[in-house]
Amino acid sequence: MNDRSARSDRAKLRRAIVVGAGIAGLMTTLELAEAGIPVLLVSLGPARRSPSGTIQSGLDAAVESGGDEPRLHLDDTLVGGDFLAPQPPVRSMTEAAPRLVELLDRMGVPFERSPEGRLARRRSEGSRIARASFAGASTGQHVLAALDEQVRRLEVRGVTDEHGVRIPGERLVLVLEPFEFLGVVRDDRGACVGVVLQDLRSMRIKAYPADGVCLATGGARALFAPGAGEPLSTGSAAAAVHRQGAALANPELIEVCPTAIVSDDAAYLIGDAARGEGGRLFAPKDPREARRPRDIPERDRDYFLERLYPELGNLVPPDVAARAVLRAAAAGDDPAGSALTSEGECPVYLELSHRPAHVLEARLGRVLTLGEKFADTDPRAEPLRVTPAVSRTLGGLWVDYEADDSGRIVVGSARNHATSLPGLYAAGGVAAQYHGASALGGNLILADLYGARLAAASLIAYRAGLARSAFDSPSSLFERAEAAERSRYEEILGRSSGREDAENPFELKDELGRALLSDAGALRDDARLYALLETIHALESRLGNARVTDTATRMNQSAQMVRQLGNMLVYARALAEGARARAECRGAHYKSKHDPRVTPGAVGRDDARWLRTTLALATGDGEVRLVRELDYELGGRTIHVTDAVDTRWVAPRPRELGEAERTRRRAPEES
Amino acid sequence: MSDDLASTSLSSRDRRAFVLRKLHSLTGVIPVGIYLSLHIFTNAKAMEGAQAYDEAVAGLARWPYWSVVEVVGLYLPLAFHALYGVKLTLEARPNNRRYPFSRNWMYTLQRVTGLLALGFIAYHLWHLRAQVGLGTMERADYFPRLCATLSSTTASGIPVAAIAYLIGVAACVFHFANGLHGFCFSWGITVSRRAARSTALVFGLFGVALFAVAASTIIYFATGSRLVLAPGAASGAPPPITCRDLTAGSLAAVVR
Amino acid sequence: MTGAERTVSGGGRIRVRVRRQDAADAPETRRWEEFSIERRPRMTVVSCLRRIQRQPVTADGRVVAPVAWESGCLDDSCGACTMLVNGRVRQACATQVDAISPKGEPIVLEPLGKFPLVRDLVVDRARLFDSFKRVHAWTELDGLSALGPGPAYSPTRQRELLSLGGCIACAACLEACPQYGNQSDYLGAAALNQVRLMNLRPLGALNEVERLETVMAPGGVADCGKAQVCVEVCPANLPLVDSIQQVARATTRRLILGWLLR
Ligand SMILES: Cc1cc2nc3c(=O)[nH]c(=O)nc-3n(C[C@H](O)[C@H](O)[C@H](O)COP(=O)(O)OP(=O)(O)OC[C@H]3O[C@@H](n4cnc5c(N)ncnc54)[C@H](O)[C@@H]3O)c2cc1C
Ligand code: HEM
Ligand code: HEM
Ligand code: SF4
Ligand code: F3S
Ligand code: FES
């Protein structure tokens, strides 16, 4: 075998495996396939159904015109993320952004047009300059569809070997769906040589060899309730490889979307597109306001974001907006605001009705639909009541990068997007890299795409350096991994013999979601985090008593839930431990104890001690260990990394967002 | 594209089904639909009396090679349309109870009326044209034959034949009018739902008019009364006869 | 039904009847199960199914397996949760209980009928995605490298592309189409809409002819019976009937002119 061979010594087609068919997974697949590498793409469901399709924000890309340039985009991103993001990858991402937007344009994403027919732009949260290309308020959907189309095109394309000869019966991209990723297969030196998958229709478990694996399984939003039923964002895959040794980075970080329609058991997120299009947030000045929102005259409305942040106004970074909403909802006094679980006393509204209906219809169709379908409100005519909700986890699998002396990413280095398990790469929402402590809307899709591109290049380099193809590894490796997962599954099924006190896994998951929301949501404190760790511990032992009432052999979603929940608890523990440890306020991670506005003398963001990445490793017994540095193997080398954040481009500075002097709103007792 | 799967789907020249389907659509209008319209107006001549009717009916038959034209220009297309229509009807899976939208009803009715039309035309041809072909009847006998048949009733006084004719004609006319809307749709003459709705209105009115003429012809044959004036039937018409108190036999006598 | 069950939203209970079957090859397991669920404000059909997951006990007290169903976004944008609700195809996550059961009428859930059953409410909609393959529903690219932006096009064209591109691949239009099913190889409205969408894209139009050929093959655009149910049930409100007519026009032109040119 040489590094270019399409086939291994045993004449097997050397596929790489991409797990997850969201924006990141599809882009990785396309990049690999373009390099001629056959791909096995695995996903829980059809690509079109992936969570990244719900992203409403556009893609920020600074083209050198109108006073904009990538340097400013970099600055906005770093400020938005409260300087926790490593700067070389962010810098390279902002530089690559315009090319990525152009690529999507060629693929057919229907970006908004200028009168001249070129790309038109609007402002995203956290940026002063309009640099987002967007497709209505459903950019994610259109991007996902465009990538899906391209992958489908490759699904019918054949494979040629290094001599240009067609390999009969093979397709460049092979899709397995609905399949669940259970874990990686590692060889005796710890390298990742394949994955174990379960066919969710037949429930058959099988190991698949791979020369390079990339996880793109998205974030772990479903850890939090409501909306926790989301079956595609459990974080189970990340937790599974974490258990197998991959480090997590910043697992404690989450993003809180300031504007969501929250109902009994679902949260319908409204992204920054609405505010980018002119949407304004307000609270009635009088917390006991009895008039219908549309009847409240302008003078009785408090446009609190515009008042507090005259410069960015409604487009402050999401965590800032979310806390402001919570404070407003708590009617003035308590700067910590109410917890995310309860709607505050005082409703907060998103006003769009001042914008012409035809503009809203053309550019915010999705938001109008959400209002109409889930809040019985027509945003064209009436302000929409909103509540903050958890939109994603920001941390995830730790991934490496390699920067050159000039501080730019070395494209093609096998280190980029490498997890700490050799041969395993990660991109998209499952990996922590670009957002720091708060993710700006305009960077969501961008980071998915750029990360995927880089991860693919890396994987190609890794694959080229392989001395032996995974397809030539002893089959006993795969059989053992397969057998282990099978017996785990059998064990879960075996629990169906019911005891009276048996637990329902879905119920347990719901409890976990509610606990995380109240104790590790937008507003955190150490006592609650300790309580959360207790809860997680309790849930873990109750899970051992979980009963699977389902004995069927097809689509057994209960057994699947039990297994996923085991992983989710591991992730949740890392989240809680990380949150407990991080003794500061940074981005969406907020503890009132460290907020100088609440606790006099507190430092707020503590760059001296906490400008660093939380690195979490799993211990064998399900516990988590936070470390300051780690070593990992790659291509026969040992690479040493620490938790330091590379800040070589922009020196960290306080996140001055132009907050005006904190004027208290008219509190009830003062009136 | 270099790869096989895509290229088989792309370069597929397997257009037979498409062309047949287009032919079906076309034959529904040309010639069958056009014949239907003309035929209904020709038959309306009956309201001007037997002589005018005979002339009108015989008018076409006097043309040279009429029988060839008849076969190639009408029977074959009609037979094709009808047979292919039966195939299409068998492929349909109507779901009007679940999805009772008006256009979905039209879809189902198009198929139902197609079958009714098939039954009616078969009977109609056997009843009139085939008898002439077989020599058991003269062309000039059409008028009395129609009068006799259409005005006949069962023992309890129900004019079965006339009702059957009314239903058959209604089915044909509906099928044709709705078919014209479908024709504009499937050839892309209309390209938006709104435009298609406008054509549906126009063709609907056309269909109503066509049916009015045909129905009054049938009622005229059945009862002798004229509901709608036939073209040129304004003068010299016999005084209207109410059908209430007439027997089938006396009606035929009166008309003759 | 008791009086309490009749109360409107916010109180009482709601009856949910679910058509179940353990596997396609286990027809003997086909059955109805009925659940009684506490009614809450703003409940959707997905809320009901989630409640059943958490409390898989039938109305007559039997502990059963939770109902299997597909979901994703839960906000009507991913197309996963399509099923028959009271006989009609709907997105379960966007179907409000108050709307379909204002007076506490029972809710009946069944899997889509035109696709192979996997289990309970889950079916295999691969045929929809295959139809996208059949019609060449993609833009041919010269690769992923930096080749500059695509051609400029007008804001009007953008609006059109935006609305046509909103398909969530739910297959509702296929389920509800009387022409679609095992008896025919009709592609259905979703794929025809893709043809129009792709041909409207400046780069997609380069392959317009090939794409038209695919819908002039068996199962193509001529198989549409103009029932127009597709457009009524499409959760993304796509102008499917317009799309079909547009594609029909293009094929007509090709049928007539393509002949002369060949
Ligand atoms: C409703 C909603 C709104 C959001 N809004 C925001 C927002 O406002 N701000 C924000 O910061 N973020 C938001 N997010 C999060 C954002 O979508 C993601 O962070 C991100 O873009 C992830 O993209 P991805 O391509 O990595 O993966 P995803 O699009 O999440 O796709 C994951 C893929 O992995 C597959 N997969 C997952 N687990 C497995 C497994 N075990 N085995 C096999 N396959 C698996 C899935 O099938 C899916 O195809 C939102 C998410 C949702 C659901
Ligand atoms: C108003 C009621 C109708 C009357 C009184 C009527 C009468 C007649 C008569 C007298 C003939 C024989 C004359 C001829 O050969 O040209 C005839 C033939 C025929 N009729 Fe009708 N008809 C009626 C409605 C219809 C309808 C609704 C159709 C449906 C398409 C139809 C289809 C035909 C056909 C196909 C022939 C044979 C034509 C031919 O041989 O040239 N008729 N009809
Ligand atoms: C009276 C004679 C008839 C006339 C004038 C007629 C006319 C038409 C027309 C104009 C159409 C529309 C074509 C299109 O959809 O593009 C049509 C469609 C159709 N016809 Fe007829 N037709 C006649 C008889 C029949 C018969 C006997 C049948 C057999 C049952 C039949 C079955 C159908 C069907 C199934 C369609 C629907 C095609 C579709 O919508 O997809 N028709 N007809
Ligand atoms: S066209 Fe509409 S109904 Fe059909 S699959 Fe797409 S979204 Fe669903
Ligand atoms: S419902 Fe079916 S028949 Fe045509 S118009 Fe729609 S595809
Ligand atoms: S779950 Fe995505 S559409 Fe219903």
Side-chain angles (χ1 to χ4, degrees):
Chain A
M1 182 191 93
N2 71 40
D3 55 352
R4 303 204 160 274
S5 311
R7 277 182 279 205
S8 75
D9 294 342
R10 287 196 213 145
K12 296 270 176 46
L13 188 65
R14 296 175 60 204
R15 285 192 187 272
I17 289 184
V18 176
V19 185
I23 288 178
L26 294 174
M27 186 68 181
T28 311
T29 305
L30 290 178
E31 292 280 353
L32 290 173
E34 175 154 279
I37 297 177
V39 180
L40 183 68
L41 176 60
V42 184
S43 152
L44 290 172
R48 287 282 178 110
R49 321 243 187 269
S50 298
S52 37
T54 59
I55 298 176
Q56 296 165 12
S57 322
L59 289 88
D60 275 357
V63 286
E64 311 256 354
S65 76
D68 201 7
E69 51 178 309
R71 200 176 46 80
L72 297 176
H73 183 189
L74 169 71
D75 197 69
D76 284 340
T77 305
L78 296 175
V79 171
D82 237 356
F83 288 93
L84 197 58
Q87 298 189 1
V90 178
R91 162 121 204 168
S92 296
M93 172 181 87
T94 55
E95 283 169 352
R99 303 292 91 70
L100 284 166
V101 171
E102 287 172 1
L103 175 62
L104 294 179
D105 184 35
R106 282 165 55 220
M107 283 185 186
V109 175
F111 287 124
E112 184 78 9
R113 296 282 139 178
S114 68
E116 200 185 311
R118 297 167 195 273
L119 297 174
R121 289 160 208 278
R122 78 171 157 219
R123 261 179 77 204
S124 312
E125 59 195 358
S127 72
R128 278 153 254 257
I129 298 175
R131 63 166 78 98
S133 295
F134 61 98
S138 38
T139 313
Q141 192 195 345
H142 290 279
V143 170
L144 188 68
L147 296 169
D148 184 32
E149 285 161 16
Q150 292 301 322
V151 167
R152 188 161 297 117
R153 169 174 164 239
L154 301 177
E155 275 181 63
V156 297
R157 176 162 298 180
V159 189
T160 50
D161 66 12
E162 57 277 21
H163 311 296
V165 178
R166 269 299 298 274
I167 301 178
E170 295 286 359
R171 303 275 160 213
L172 198 46
V173 175
L174 200 67
V175 177
L176 290 185
E177 166 274 305
F179 274 58
E180 182 168 12
F181 167 85
L182 305 184
V184 293
V185 182
R186 305 178 72 190
D187 68 8
D188 37 2
R189 284 161 314 163
C192 165
V193 291
V195 300
V196 185
L197 304 177
Q198 182 167 34
D199 179 338
L200 294 179
R201 290 201 180 120
S202 68
M203 302 317 275
R204 220 165 53 103
I205 292 173
K206 191 169 173 321
Y208 294 76
D211 279 345
V213 176
C214 183
L215 277 196
T217 49
R221 173 171 180 253
L223 285 174
F224 292 81
E230 246 210 281
L232 305 180
S233 305
T234 57
S236 173
V241 297
H242 171 60
R243 288 173 110 166
Q244 291 183 291
L248 293 177
N250 296 328
E252 72 276 17
L253 298 182
I254 58 166
E255 189 61 271
V256 184
C257 166
T259 46
I261 301 168
V262 176
S263 83
D264 214 17
D265 51 3
Y268 309 101
L269 306 181
I270 294 176
D272 68 329
R275 282 166 290 134
E277 216 43 80
R280 307 171 77 191
L281 282 172
F282 76 88
K285 280 191 179 153
D286 180 353
R288 283 159 307 188
E289 181 62 73
R291 285 168 290 189
R292 285 172 49 200
R294 64 193 289 180
D295 299 332
I296 304 173
E298 178 117 1
R299 68 180 133 69
D300 289 341
R301 298 176 176 188
D302 175 19
Y303 291 97
F304 52 91
L305 287 175
E306 294 164 25
R307 175 168 57 78
L308 291 168
Y309 308 102
E311 199 178 344
L312 286 175
N314 291 291
L315 285 170
V316 287
D319 60 303
V320 178
R323 277 191 303 274
V325 171
L326 288 173
R327 259 180 241 141
D333 227 11
D334 175 13
S338 61
L340 266 185
T341 34
S342 58
E343 277 190 345
E345 340 245 289
C346 181
V348 172
Y349 298 99
L350 172 64
E351 175 195 305
L352 289 165
S353 41
H354 61 292
R355 302 279 291 143
H358 72 270
V359 173
L360 297 179
E361 275 151 23
R363 303 202 191 148
L364 292 180
R366 179 83 196 120
V367 175
L368 301 184
T369 318
L370 285 174
E372 284 164 353
K373 283 198 176 145
F374 300 108
D376 286 338
T377 305
D378 178 0
R380 275 167 286 235
E382 213 158 344
L384 186 64
R385 178 157 187 191
V386 292
T387 315
V390 176
S391 60
R392 68 178 295 187
T393 46
L394 277 179
L397 290 175
W398 171 85
V399 291
D400 202 2
Y401 63 86
E402 183 171 347
D404 59 18
D405 293 337
S406 74
R408 287 191 170 77
I409 289 294
V410 182
V411 179
S413 154
R415 281 178 64 182
N416 297 322
H417 281 266
T419 68
S420 54
L421 293 186
L424 179 66
Y425 290 80
V430 71
Q433 181 94 286
Y434 301 94
H435 300 301
S438 182
L440 302 182
N443 286 335
L444 296 176
I445 299 176
L446 181 61
D448 284 355
L449 290 175
Y450 180 72
R453 178 160 255 198
L454 214 51
S458 244
L459 195 151
I460 293 167
Y462 167 81
R463 191 182 138 98
L466 280 178
R468 187 179 69 176
S469 165
F471 291 84
D472 298 331
S473 304
S475 57
S476 59
L477 269 184
F478 299 98
E479 282 154 14
R480 226 180 308 130
E482 222 170 77
E485 287 296 348
R486 266 194 209 126
S487 70
R488 191 145 79 101
Y489 185 68
E490 302 285 310
E491 187 271 321
I492 292 172
L493 278 188
R495 300 183 193 173
S496 53
S497 48
R499 288 183 304 272
E500 269 311 295
D501 60 343
E503 304 275 358
N504 175 302
F506 296 96
E507 184 65 47
L508 292 180
K509 181 184 130 191
D510 212 53
E511 282 183 39
L512 174 67
R514 276 179 275 131
L516 275 161
L517 184 71
S518 71
D519 297 343
L523 311 163
R524 299 167 165 179
D525 74 58
D526 291 339
R528 294 228 296 260
L529 288 166
Y530 276 114
L532 175 62
L533 283 163
E534 293 291 308
T535 311
I536 292 170
H537 191 76
L539 285 171
E540 219 152 43
S541 56
R542 284 167 67 192
L543 179 63
N545 197 14
R547 173 182 172 197
V548 179
T549 53
D550 193 346
T551 52
T553 52
R554 296 293 152 81
M555 274 256 154
N556 193 322
Q557 295 176 333
S558 308
Q560 191 191 1
M561 187 73 253
V562 171
R563 190 177 48 211
Q564 287 181 344
L565 193 53
N567 287 337
M568 290 168 81
L569 285 166
V570 169
Y571 199 116
R573 175 166 288 128
L575 192 155
E577 288 286 5
R580 200 184 48 72
R582 190 175 280 281
E584 63 164 349
C585 293
R586 186 185 293 274
H589 175 74
Y590 176 93
K591 287 178 173 173
S592 54
K593 188 168 91 180
H594 303 293
D595 181 353
R597 292 176 305 185
V598 181
T599 315
V603 285
R605 194 178 87 195
D606 186 353
D607 282 352
R609 292 171 53 222
W610 285 103
L611 181 56
R612 56 185 168 94
T613 308
T614 307
L615 293 175
L617 289 173
T619 62
D621 51 4
E623 293 296 321
V624 59
R625 190 158 53 90
L626 303 183
V627 297
R628 301 286 314 255
E629 54 192 7
L630 56 86
D631 290 328
Y632 79 102
E633 302 282 326
L634 191 64
R637 276 197 305 151
T638 300
I639 297 171
H640 179 78
V641 288
T642 70
D643 62 1
V645 176
D646 185 337
T647 57
R648 71 176 91 187
W649 291 103
V650 182
R653 59 176 194 269
R655 202 156 58 146
E656 285 298 340
L657 296 165
E659 179 168 4
E661 183 198 347
R662 218 175 83 79
T663 44
R664 282 213 296 178
R665 275 193 306 134
R666 190 163 56 102
E669 60 273 26
E670 289 172 349
S671 57
Chain B
M1 283 208 54
S2 56
D3 43 74
D4 44 14
L5 220 166
S7 51
T8 49
S9 74
L10 286 188
S11 61
S12 165
R13 298 270 173 254
D14 191 2
R15 286 234 199 121
R16 212 176 61 105
F18 182 77
V19 171
L20 284 180
R21 187 74 195 229
K22 285 288 164 203
L23 262 183
H24 176 251
S25 180
L26 190 66
T27 51
V29 180
I30 308 165
V32 181
I34 291 178
Y35 174 80
L36 174 69
S37 321
L38 296 179
H39 188 58
I40 284 176
F41 282 102
T42 313
N43 279 301
K45 285 271 182 202
M47 289 185 276
E48 288 172 38
Q51 200 169 356
Y53 186 71
D54 285 345
E55 268 167 31
V57 170
L60 288 173
R62 276 200 301 268
W63 287 19
Y65 306 113
W66 173 241
S67 52
V68 178
V69 174
E70 233 180 359
V71 170
V72 176
L74 182 61
Y75 292 149
L76 279 184
L78 177 62
F80 167 73
H81 183 90
L83 288 180
Y84 203 77
V86 170
K87 170 189 179 289
L88 294 181
T89 306
L90 292 179
E91 281 176 4
R93 297 290 177 272
N95 52 15
N96 302 84
R97 274 192 21 197
R98 290 189 163 179
Y99 306 103
F101 306 107
S102 61
R103 269 289 138 208
N104 198 24
W105 277 112
M106 296 298 176
Y107 167 87
T108 304
L109 280 176
Q110 181 72 358
R111 277 133 187 94
V112 171
T113 54
L115 293 181
L116 284 176
L118 182 62
F120 169 75
I121 295 171
Y123 161 75
H124 182 63
L125 288 182
W126 174 251
H127 176 225
L128 298 171
R129 186 65 183 81
Q131 301 307 321
V132 174
L134 293 173
T136 57
M137 213 174 91
E138 295 279 315
R139 278 188 200 279
D141 293 337
Y142 284 146
F143 193 87
R145 180 78 184 250
L146 279 164
C147 288
T149 316
L150 290 179
S151 60
S152 66
T153 61
T154 59
S156 46
I158 303 165
V160 192
I163 291 176
Y165 253 74
L166 278 176
I167 294 175
V169 169
C172 289
V173 169
F174 173 90
H175 184 90
F176 177 47
N178 189 47
L180 281 175
H181 160 271
F183 180 84
C184 292
F185 184 121
S186 57
W187 289 79
I189 295 168
T190 50
V191 283
S192 75
R193 224 181 163 205
R194 199 186 298 157
R197 253 187 233 128
S198 322
T199 62
L201 183 71
V202 171
F203 295 135
L205 291 175
F206 171 68
V208 169
L210 212 54
F211 180 69
V213 173
S216 60
T217 312
I218 294 171
I219 290 172
Y220 177 77
F221 275 126
T223 66
S225 67
R226 268 174 271 151
L227 298 183
V228 173
L229 287 188
S235 60
I241 305 162
T242 51
C243 48
R244 232 177 311 129
D245 44 14
L246 287 174
T247 63
S250 65
L251 178 71
V254 169
V255 172
R256 220 58 256 239
Chain C
M1 208 184 286
T2 67
E5 280 165 2
R6 294 198 149 270
T7 22
V8 190
S9 182
R13 301 188 78 76
I14 176 99
R15 289 184 166 262
V16 180
R17 267 163 68 73
V18 184
R19 163 62 85 196
R20 308 201 54 175
Q21 183 169 331
D22 289 349
D25 53 8
E28 69 283 0
T29 57
R30 199 170 140 89
R31 64 201 182 270
W32 287 103
E33 272 169 13
E34 187 164 313
F35 301 87
S36 168
I37 292 166
E38 186 199 346
R39 190 161 181 153
R40 316 261 333 217
R42 297 212 148 278
M43 218 178 180
T44 63
V45 168
V46 157
S47 323
C48 296
L49 285 165
R50 285 226 222 134
R51 268 305 118 142
I52 294 175
Q53 274 187 331
R54 275 183 267 149
Q55 231 170 358
V57 181
T58 60
D60 50 11
R62 275 178 310 119
V63 176
V64 295
V67 177
W69 94 98
E70 266 184 285
S71 68
C73 65
L74 304 185
D75 66 5
D76 199 21
S77 64
C78 79
C81 63
T82 323
M83 58 184 71
L84 298 181
V85 180
N86 292 344
R88 218 195 115 158
V89 61
R90 287 177 194 278
Q91 296 310 111
C93 66
T95 304
Q96 303 283 348
V97 166
D98 289 350
I100 52 167
S101 168
K103 298 204 189 71
E105 299 88 341
I107 295 176
V108 183
L109 304 180
E110 292 163 274
L112 297 185
K114 295 198 175 163
F115 299 87
L117 183 83
V118 176
R119 179 179 178 185
D120 294 347
L121 301 175
V122 183
V123 298
D124 180 357
R125 282 171 277 180
R127 186 171 160 194
L128 168 66
F129 294 107
D130 287 344
S131 76
F132 288 5
K133 277 185 202 157
R134 250 170 84 187
V135 300
H136 197 173
W138 50 74
T139 306
E140 289 294 341
L141 286 194
D142 287 348
L144 306 176
S145 41
L147 298 175
Y153 53 88
S154 72
T156 320
R157 170 71 57 95
Q158 187 266 348
R159 298 267 173 279
E160 220 170 335
L161 292 173
L162 189 69
S163 81
L164 296 177
C167 173
I168 59 173
C170 64
C173 55
L174 309 181
E175 173 71 17
C177 172
Q179 288 288 94
Y180 190 85
N182 283 334
Q183 81 281 2
S184 82
D185 45 6
Y186 178 41
L187 286 163
L192 295 173
N193 179 66
Q194 290 292 315
V195 172
R196 177 179 177 209
L197 169 67
M198 300 299 149
N199 287 352
L200 262 183
R201 288 183 183 166
L203 287 180
L206 300 179
N207 299 91
E208 180 181 0
V209 167
E210 288 100 307
R211 227 171 266 122
L212 287 181
E213 285 294 332
T214 67
V215 291
M216 294 167 81
V221 63
D223 277 4
C224 167
K226 304 126 203 143
Q228 307 188 23
V229 193
C230 49
V231 74
E232 303 280 355
V233 299
C234 174
N237 282 324
L238 300 191
L240 295 175
V241 165
D242 296 12
S243 292
I244 295 172
Q245 292 179 82
Q246 294 276 5
V247 172
R249 168 176 285 188
T251 56
T252 301
R253 198 178 299 129
R254 175 140 186 87
L255 181 70
I256 297 165
L257 296 183
W259 232 54
L260 303 176
L261 297 178
R262 193 126 51 93

